[in-house]
Amino acid sequence: MTLVRKTSLVDMIYDELRQSIISLEISPGARINVNELQDTYGVSTTPIREAVNRLQREGLILYENNVGARVITMDEHDAWEIDELAITLHGAAIRFSLGRGNLFRIAEELQEHLLAHQRSETEREAVESICKFIGVFYRYSGNSRLHFNMKLIQGQQLMLRYIYRKEVGLEIKHLDVLSAIYQAARVGDSGEAERQIRELSDRAMPVVLEAVRRMNGN
């Protein structure tokens, strides 16, 4: 029998708000008004506040005295820190998974998400397929704490990916790099896979940093 996970009202509100924040539909720095959200969803303040609290723990929302809740903003240093930490965690996930996991299964799943990225027709499809592609290494890493720490910054990293995608559109997908990661994983070459992950970052970050500068009026 297949078990179906029930989605709570809090989960639904959290998921919708999170997607709106990471996709920049709700602008960085925008205030999060609980009363307005209560009217939007037609619910009491309790599930709204719980969803907002989750987003605060994930680092996507901040509380400020005399201001309340607002979406985080990013400067260039923030973007560098997020990317630097993500690359470090990705590297560990690659080493652990290719040293411990089933290479055939890893390669099979990577190929599935690579093809999904190649076929992507929306920003969300493009961003989510990359997230799932890299997520394969975490799932096979055999290290739940590594996975946990990645989740702590994943929302912020997704914001960077959406910033990049909005800048370059859907035409640029870096399929050469993703294919190189896939090929390296097939033969267990973690060093080459890590190098290609860094190459992906090296291509994206100049675009992201320029966009962040403009967002901050610099």
Side-chain angles (χ1 to χ4, degrees):
M1 181 178 68
T2 301
L3 296 177
V4 179
R5 177 181 175 271
K6 292 180 66 176
T7 301
S8 71
L9 183 59
V10 174
D11 291 335
M12 183 197 74
I13 295 170
Y14 163 79
D15 289 340
E16 289 191 12
L17 282 176
R18 184 179 188 271
Q19 181 59 33
S20 294
I21 290 171
I22 64 175
S23 65
L24 312 178
E25 181 181 339
I26 300 177
S27 301
R31 287 192 61 192
I32 301 297
N33 188 303
V34 172
N35 292 329
E36 289 180 2
L37 290 174
Q38 185 179 355
D39 293 338
T40 298
Y41 290 103
V43 298
S44 69
T45 60
T46 301
I48 299 290
R49 292 187 185 281
E50 176 55 31
V52 170
N53 285 339
R54 286 191 195 179
L55 292 165
Q56 183 188 15
R57 291 194 293 271
E58 195 176 350
L60 294 174
I61 284 179
L62 294 174
Y63 276 100
E64 292 184 342
N65 292 333
N66 303 317
V67 175
R70 64 174 180 84
V71 177
I72 62 166
T73 57
M74 288 188 190
D75 60 21
E76 294 173 70
H77 182 71
D78 295 323
W80 271 118
E81 283 193 344
I82 293 164
D83 184 68
E84 186 176 55
L85 179 55
I87 291 299
T88 300
L89 294 174
H90 294 347
I94 288 170
R95 290 192 301 275
F96 294 160
S97 62
L98 297 187
R100 301 168 179 171
N102 182 312
L103 295 183
F104 176 80
R105 291 293 303 276
I106 291 172
E108 187 177 52
E109 291 186 29
L110 288 174
Q111 185 178 44
E112 175 187 345
H113 299 309
L114 171 59
L115 292 174
H117 185 66
Q118 185 175 9
R119 295 191 299 263
S120 61
E121 297 180 348
T122 66
E123 289 177 354
R124 183 167 183 173
E125 288 175 351
V127 170
E128 288 186 353
S129 57
I130 289 291
C131 185
K132 290 176 181 178
F133 181 89
I134 295 175
V136 171
F137 294 113
Y138 286 86
R139 193 159 57 256
Y140 285 93
S141 70
N143 191 314
S144 60
R145 287 172 173 79
L146 177 67
H147 205 170
F148 174 80
N149 278 282
M150 183 60 221
K151 285 184 176 180
L152 291 177
I153 66 161
Q154 190 174 61
Q156 295 177 354
Q157 191 195 30
L158 286 171
M159 288 181 74
L160 297 184
R161 287 185 181 155
Y162 269 101
I163 289 172
Y164 177 72
R165 190 52 56 190
K166 289 180 184 298
E167 289 293 307
V168 302
L170 292 171
E171 293 78 16
I172 299 177
K173 294 181 177 177
H174 304 301
L175 296 175
D176 58 328
V177 177
L178 297 176
S179 296
I181 295 170
Y182 160 68
Q183 293 294 343
R186 286 185 62 190
V187 296
D189 189 346
S190 61
E192 177 60 16
E194 283 189 70
R195 192 184 73 79
Q196 293 295 335
I197 282 284
R198 289 190 176 276
E199 172 65 21
L200 201 60
S201 172
D202 289 343
R203 293 186 186 184
M205 283 308 291
V207 176
V208 170
L209 292 173
E210 176 58 31
V212 169
R213 280 193 288 268
R214 291 201 312 273
M215 288 167 61
N216 290 306
N218 298 326

